[in-house]
Amino acid sequence: MSIDETTGLAFALNSQPGVFAVLIGSGVSRAADIPTGWGMTLNLVERLAAAEGAEAAGNPEGWYEAQYEEPVGFSTLIERLAPTPSDRRALVGTYIEPLPDQANRTPTTAHRRLAALAKRGSVKVFVTTNFDRLLEQALSDVGIEPLVVATDAQAKGAPALQHAGVVVLKPHGDYLDPSSMRVTEAELAGYPEEMTRLLERTFEDYGLIVAGWSGDWDPALSAAMEASRSRRYPFYFAARGALSDRARQIVASRQGISIAINDADGFFADLDDKVAALAEFERQHPLDDQVLAARTKQALTQATNSLEVDEIFTEETTAVVESLVDSELFPQGIPGLENDAASLRTLADLGHSSLQASSRLCLVAALIGTYGEGGHAAIIERALGRLHRAGTRRSDGLWTRSAAHLRLWPLAATVYAMGVASLSRGNGTLLERALAMSPLSERIDLQNRLDASNLAAVFPGTTAVAQAIDLDLHEGAKVGGDRLQGLLSNQGGRDPAPSLVMCEFLRGPLRHALPDREDYDEAFDDFEVLRAAVAWDGYQHRDEETGPWLPHYMGRFQRSHTRQTERAFAGLVGRLERMDPTPIPSLFGGSVDRCEAAFAAVEKAVAETFPWRL
């Protein structure tokens, strides 16, 4: 049994979003009772004959030619029956716009599913021979306002399609501009120069999916299609029943694949369902991290691909946001932490869900920290606002504070991922931005911005949840029963469990930036030491007591610090000074003395609180 062609096409759309264009013909609008251009022409002739007291049914074309001694032509007919632009639009509109007794002249299932594919980013370029605006309406309904190109002047002024967002090319014209409509054989034999050039370029640069179009009546469109020499992307031709001779020629010339379908509605619904299923599978089973890493690296190392970096990060942020508001992943009414293993298990599972939701986003953030520039920080900053809103969104369900705050994990993890990577690579600009990042306003001072992504915000009031997750990670399975009850009985207010969990979790997403385990561990600890030093300096220079910074910022480094690793504290100052540019001016007021004092204070705090470590 062979794999269904539509399934193969779904895989192609999923793996290469944006590289396919879709060509739709009158068959896609058939379910909306909208006639073809030729159908409109013949009906107009019949109406004209009726107005003159004649009967043209059965042979309207012959009647017109005998009566007026010229071939029937849509353009000529429209000009004579509707001499002004407003008259023409109104006349053509009777065939396209909904009427009281024709309420079904609205976007069909096919139009809706094409809009869904565009919303997902699978398809960005459409070519349609239809005059109606059903596709544009379906796109608008999902929040997309496409660039519509229906005239030669519009084709000449159109930007490069890859930079134009969603585009709808209408080589046969648009009913809102009846003068642009082409329906006669002479009109369809050849398009104006700029429209022809744009179509040929589209068929050259994109793969193509054809549906609802026979190929028999549009010689100029067929010629533009066959002129393409590129075979970079596949060509799919979906048709009801057997392909016509002309369609077979086109498929053969493009080395294409034919797909037998019942109708356009069913075909595009099936295709959209399959693409959505693949996207959902990849969200739950992120097996393509290597592909994501390669795509991100390529975009970051090519100066012309800044838009691609933004698109990648926006895609991954959107996936996390959708997870955080998913009622199945984060059900409402989760209770607070009681003194029992069941409630602790529930909250730990919630923490696991939040962890997994942010894995791919952290991978991209780490690569930005490694290879990015200062301008890329704005991409992450915008994402943090979205993550914060999703993580703190209120709903009808009763969320307890401990449950709700666990949804802030992706925000803190994103900041850590970029910060650890940028510190390891000596990227002073992005390191400074990682420490100053926040979903809050730029007007908020550095100290509060640090607090906004602090792990203390993720695990407020208890370390038991973090301890349970940490235990799960090291055991490789979810623990329960007496072991969880033991965590509840022996909570330590200064236990660095949140830091331990963050370190273990980010080990996977950061392997593309820091593949060596020892290098990663050192970079993670150094970043947390630096955060603690910046926090201490911030409190000092706000004329406030320094106490609050200690429990919030003492990470896992407090467990591992020994006399042999004291160099990490002093060595960080030298590393910061050598970075180009150095982040000391923005983090420590430009003072190396302040910087050294801050690191000395952190080291002293470790010595006083955990004297056996030194």
Side-chain angles (χ1 to χ4, degrees):
M1 181 177 179
S2 61
I3 297 175
D4 177 69
E5 292 89 350
T6 307
T7 300
L9 174 55
F11 269 84
L13 284 171
N14 181 67
S15 62
Q16 301 181 92
V19 305
F20 280 89
V22 172
L23 166 63
I24 58 174
S26 59
V28 174
S29 293
R30 184 179 292 114
D33 287 342
I34 293 179
T36 64
W38 185 241
M40 293 182 197
T41 303
L42 297 180
N43 183 261
L44 282 172
V45 172
E46 292 177 346
R47 293 166 67 182
L48 173 62
E52 295 185 356
E55 176 62 52
N59 186 20
E61 184 179 4
W63 177 88
Y64 183 91
E65 291 180 357
Q67 183 75 11
Y68 296 101
E69 298 181 349
E70 65 180 10
V72 63
F74 181 82
S75 300
T76 302
L77 197 58
I78 285 290
E79 288 176 1
R80 291 176 178 174
L81 296 177
T84 69
S86 60
D87 290 336
R88 293 169 196 159
R89 176 174 173 177
L91 181 58
V92 177
T94 62
Y95 294 98
I96 293 176
E97 295 175 351
L99 298 173
D101 60 340
Q102 292 176 314
N104 61 333
R105 285 184 176 175
T106 57
T108 65
T109 297
H111 293 113
R112 299 292 186 192
R113 293 308 189 100
L114 286 170
L117 289 169
K119 183 72 172 179
R120 194 176 291 112
S122 301
V123 178
K124 296 182 178 181
V125 177
F126 297 90
V127 182
T128 176
T129 60
N130 300 330
F131 307 131
D132 62 66
R133 286 222 152 196
L134 298 185
L135 176 59
E136 293 93 311
Q137 181 181 334
L139 291 168
S140 180
D141 288 345
V142 298
I144 297 173
E145 296 301 329
L147 171 67
V148 178
V149 179
T151 68
D152 205 45
Q154 291 170 342
K156 183 176 182 179
L161 297 188
Q162 61 266 34
H163 303 307
V166 175
V167 181
V168 178
L169 304 181
K170 308 185 80 167
H172 290 190
D174 189 313
Y175 91 95
L176 294 180
D177 180 9
S179 64
S180 70
M181 296 173 65
R182 304 179 183 90
V183 296
T184 66
E185 289 186 10
E187 291 168 336
L188 297 177
Y191 299 136
E193 180 181 356
E194 295 297 336
M195 180 63 75
T196 299
R197 184 178 292 113
L198 180 57
L199 287 170
E200 290 179 349
R201 192 162 64 244
T202 299
F203 297 147
E204 186 79 19
D205 294 343
Y206 292 84
L208 193 62
I209 304 166
V210 179
W213 183 72
S214 68
D216 289 335
W217 312 110
D218 306 314
L221 188 57
S222 299
M225 202 176 298
E226 290 179 310
S228 170
R229 298 178 300 276
S230 173
R231 298 295 182 268
R232 283 183 297 170
Y233 304 117
F235 177 92
Y236 291 86
F237 198 113
R240 300 172 63 188
L243 270 63
S244 67
D245 291 342
R246 188 70 187 97
R248 281 198 297 272
Q249 291 175 3
I250 295 170
V251 172
S253 72
R254 294 290 300 259
Q255 299 176 12
I257 300 168
S258 61
I259 303 177
I261 63 174
N262 293 324
D263 53 45
D265 283 352
F267 169 62
F268 284 116
D270 185 31
L271 180 61
D272 180 43
D273 286 342
K274 284 179 164 63
V275 173
L278 288 171
E280 176 63 18
F281 179 86
E282 290 182 354
R283 185 184 68 81
Q284 297 181 11
H285 305 82
L287 302 178
D288 60 340
D289 285 359
Q290 294 284 353
V291 175
L292 176 63
R295 180 186 173 199
T296 304
K297 287 179 181 179
Q298 182 180 25
L300 284 167
T301 54
Q302 295 181 6
T304 57
N305 275 358
S306 59
L307 179 61
E308 176 75 359
V309 177
D310 200 342
E311 288 183 354
I312 293 171
F313 207 79
T314 299
E315 289 171 7
E316 299 305 329
T317 302
T318 298
V320 176
V321 168
E322 289 176 350
S323 296
L324 294 178
V325 299
D326 188 327
S327 60
E328 293 186 5
L329 293 176
F330 297 92
Q332 306 303 312
I334 292 180
L337 181 62
E338 305 294 339
N339 193 31
D340 62 84
S343 66
L344 178 55
R345 181 71 270 162
T346 297
L347 290 176
D349 288 345
L350 185 67
H352 277 290
S353 296
S354 195
L355 278 169
Q356 294 309 313
S358 59
S359 178
R360 286 167 57 89
L361 183 64
C362 290
L363 183 159
V364 179
L367 291 175
I368 289 177
T370 301
Y371 302 104
E373 300 175 350
H376 291 128
I379 298 172
I380 296 185
E381 191 97 28
R382 288 195 300 272
L384 295 185
R386 296 182 64 195
L387 295 174
H388 186 264
R389 288 191 294 275
T392 57
R393 185 177 71 96
R394 299 187 63 83
S395 60
D396 295 335
L398 298 177
W399 279 82
T400 60
R401 182 169 178 260
S402 54
H405 278 238
L406 286 172
R407 295 193 302 172
L408 291 173
W409 181 277
L411 187 154
T414 303
V415 172
Y416 261 70
M418 181 171 144
V420 172
S422 59
L423 176 58
S424 173
R425 292 302 181 98
N427 192 333
T429 300
L430 289 182
L431 175 60
E432 180 273 321
R433 297 301 298 139
L435 289 163
M437 276 187 171
S438 167
L440 307 175
S441 167
E442 285 283 358
R443 293 189 298 271
I444 303 299
D445 66 21
L446 175 59
Q447 184 54 56
N448 279 325
R449 293 170 72 78
L450 272 173
D451 288 343
S453 59
N454 200 339
L455 300 187
V458 182
F459 301 97
T462 178
T463 59
V465 176
Q467 289 172 333
I469 298 173
D470 182 46
L471 192 56
D472 289 346
L473 292 173
H474 282 89
E475 293 287 330
K478 294 180 179 180
V479 300
D482 294 341
R483 302 186 74 180
L484 291 180
Q485 195 64 49
L487 296 179
L488 289 168
S489 303
N490 298 290
Q491 290 189 66
R494 291 173 178 167
D495 192 290
S499 174
L500 294 170
V501 171
M502 180 69 83
C503 182
E504 193 61 31
F505 162 65
L506 286 179
R507 197 179 299 280
L510 266 72
R511 70 182 183 277
H512 298 281
L514 286 162
D516 185 84
R517 185 180 183 89
E518 291 184 2
D519 289 344
Y520 168 76
D521 286 338
E522 180 181 336
F524 185 92
D525 286 346
D526 286 350
F527 181 67
E528 287 206 307
V529 169
L530 178 56
R531 278 175 61 89
V534 173
W536 181 89
D537 181 79
Y539 278 114
Q540 283 291 104
H541 292 84
R542 290 168 68 192
D543 297 324
E544 296 182 8
E545 295 182 1
T546 61
W549 77 273
L550 177 59
H552 288 188
Y553 288 92
M554 295 300 279
R556 67 166 224 149
F557 64 84
Q558 70 188 30
R559 284 187 171 183
S560 59
H561 186 58
T562 66
R563 291 192 183 280
Q564 285 70 37
T565 59
E566 288 179 26
R567 58 178 177 78
F569 289 83
L572 270 170
V573 178
R575 288 172 60 190
L576 294 176
E577 286 185 285
R578 291 190 296 273
M579 288 181 185
D580 185 20
T582 174
I584 290 178
S586 58
L587 300 179
F588 299 98
S591 170
V592 175
D593 290 340
R594 272 177 57 176
C595 182
E596 291 176 342
F599 281 108
V602 175
E603 187 172 12
K604 180 181 178 182
V606 174
E608 291 178 346
T609 310
F610 310 99
W612 63 91
R613 298 292 175 195
L614 295 175

